[in-house]
């Protein structure tokens, strides 16, 4: 973290997205609400959406150990989403950005994820590749909010603001306008506002700390392993051990992880301030036209983040205890995909109606992507899957 940064410093107000400006425009004009801003209304629309509720039934990393019933306190997609939302709101507020826009984007950031975590997404993408297509959870999220959610008699979708739709598409990656002409309205030649850029970092910080927590809690990871491989954790854990030498081990872990989370969030805010100051930016337009994204960790914190992530991939996400769950996810997702392709009559009527415009493979993928872990298991069993 830069030593000279002042934690209380807000960015120039011209950098924040204007809550009533051009980005608050909707496809279908609606009268203004008497006391809620457009982005606050969008956050509420997502919170009340069916796809949002289904996040409760979708795996984040894992929800059970081999041979055990599902664990009640490991992160689901929903609780992960709420943790990302807390971090995003905090950062946006502390920097003087539009916290309501950041909240709406954080609530939506994983809404396009299929069942069974990363393994389910990889399997769905693999199944689609055989049809010359692919699965991208950001683009699927856009389809959910613009089409699949039905809560209004006058139009399909949630009629979200342009700012929220742009952020859904661009918060974690940049799309080329040549490859994605259908996304032309989302300023593909520019970076998104900081409110969207920070979501990706908030996501990383949330899941790194949460996965260390769940990894240790499940005993897939050991404390010695984490101390050895994650220097940032080791430093804070040593501090906690000297402060509370008699504390139970589990509490020393929680105390250390709280400090890791706080350090990474504080570093993110500091680095954004440093980068914006170096640029001398005072407008959103300047943020959009920089050569690189401005929401990032400092080089030292980035090295810590990368080390932790590398460790989690090697020892948690790809651990022997997860192999069975991954292959099960692949078998169910690809098996059900094949069964529905072979017999589209198994699709619900509203999905079948999409086949003429979207094609069968995309329609089947849309249906599967919307399922919770338990629903896809039930359907797979009903289709005779084993
Ligand atoms: Mg996420």
């Amino acid at each position: 973290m830069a030593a000279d940064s002042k934690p209380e410093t807000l960015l120039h107000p011209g950098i924040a997205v204007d809550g009533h400006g051009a980005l608050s425009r909707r496809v279908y004009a609606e009268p203004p609400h008497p006391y809620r801003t457009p982005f606050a209304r969008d956050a509420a629309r997502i919170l009340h959406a069916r796809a949002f509720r289904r996040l409760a039934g979708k795996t984040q990393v894992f929800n059970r150990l081999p041979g055990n019933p599902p664990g009640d306190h490991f992160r689901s997609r929903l609780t992960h989403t709420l943790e990302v939302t807390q971090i995003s709101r905090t950062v946006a507020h502390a920097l003087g950005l539009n916290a309501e826009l950041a909240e709406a984007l954080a609530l939506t950031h994983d809404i396009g994820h299929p069942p069974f975590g990363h393994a389910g997404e990889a399997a769905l993408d693999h199944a689609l590749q055989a049809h010359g297509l692919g699965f991208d959870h950001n683009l699927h999220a856009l389809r959910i909010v613009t089409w699949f959610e039905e809560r209004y008699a006058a139009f399909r979708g949630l009629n979200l603001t342009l700012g929220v739709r742009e952020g859904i598409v661009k918060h974690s990656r940049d799309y080329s306008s040549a490859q994605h002409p259908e996304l032309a309205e989302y300023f593909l030649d520019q970076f998104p506002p900081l409110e969207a850029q920070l979501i990706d970092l908030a996501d990383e910080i949330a899941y790194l700390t949460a996965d260390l927590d769940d990894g240790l809690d499940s005993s897939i990871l050991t404390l010695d392993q984490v101390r050895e491989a994650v220097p940032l954790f080791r430093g804070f854990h040593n501090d906690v051990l000297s402060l509370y030498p008699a504390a139970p081990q589990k509490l020393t872990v929680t105390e250390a992880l709280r400090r890791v989370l706080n350090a990474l969030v504080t570093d993110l805010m500091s680095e954004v301030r440093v980068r914006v100051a170096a640029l001398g930016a005072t407008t959103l337009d300047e943020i959009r036209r920089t050569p690189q994204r401005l929401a990032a960790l400092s080089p030292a914190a980035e090295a810590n983040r990368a080390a932790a992530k590398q460790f989690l991939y090697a020892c948690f996400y790809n651990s022997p205890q997860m192999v069975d769950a991954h292959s099960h996810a692949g078998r169910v997702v690809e098996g059900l995909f094949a069964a529905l392709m072979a017999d589209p009559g198994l699709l619900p009527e509203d999905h079948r109606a999409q086949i003429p415009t979207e094609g069968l493979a995309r329609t089947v993928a849309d249906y599967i992507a919307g399922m919770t872990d338990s629903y896809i298991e039930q359907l797979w069993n009903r289709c005779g899957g084993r």
Side-chain angles (χ1 to χ4, degrees), residues 80-99:
H80 159 73
T81 293
L82 297 176
E83 291 177 3
V84 174
T85 304
Q86 181 270 318
I87 293 170
S88 303
R89 269 202 75 99
T90 300
V91 174
H93 182 74
L95 292 175
L97 296 169
N98 191 317

Side-chain angles (χ1 to χ4, degrees), residues 299-362:
E302 175 55 26
N304 273 314
R305 184 204 64 80
K309 191 164 177 171
Q310 197 179 15
F311 165 71
L312 284 167
Y313 266 96
C315 298
F316 187 31
Y317 307 147
N318 295 322
S319 64
Q321 292 93 326
M322 302 280 255
V323 168
D324 280 355
H326 289 174
S327 57
H328 176 71
R331 210 162 42 244
V332 174
V333 169
E334 298 209 45
L336 188 63
F337 186 93
L340 293 169
M341 289 295 292
D343 184 0
L346 296 169
L347 289 163
E349 200 180 318
D350 55 335
H351 282 273
R352 270 204 313 272
Q354 301 291 311
I355 298 172
T357 51
E358 303 301 322
L360 179 58
R362 177 62 65 196

Side-chain angles (χ1 to χ4, degrees), residues 80 84 199-209 305 309:
H80 159 73
V84 174
I199 303 299
D200 197 38
L201 277 300
D203 186 23
E204 288 263 345
I205 293 169
Y207 76 68
L208 282 182
T209 48
R305 184 204 64 80
K309 191 164 177 171

Side-chain angles (χ1 to χ4, degrees), residues 34 71 182 219 233 245 254 335 339:
E182 80 282 8
S219 302
F233 176 88
T254 311

Side-chain angles (χ1 to χ4, degrees), residues 60 77 80 84 109-110 113 203 207:
Q60 171 68 13
R77 280 274 170 215
H80 159 73
V84 174
H109 90 281
D110 270 352
H113 269 286
D203 186 23
Y207 76 68

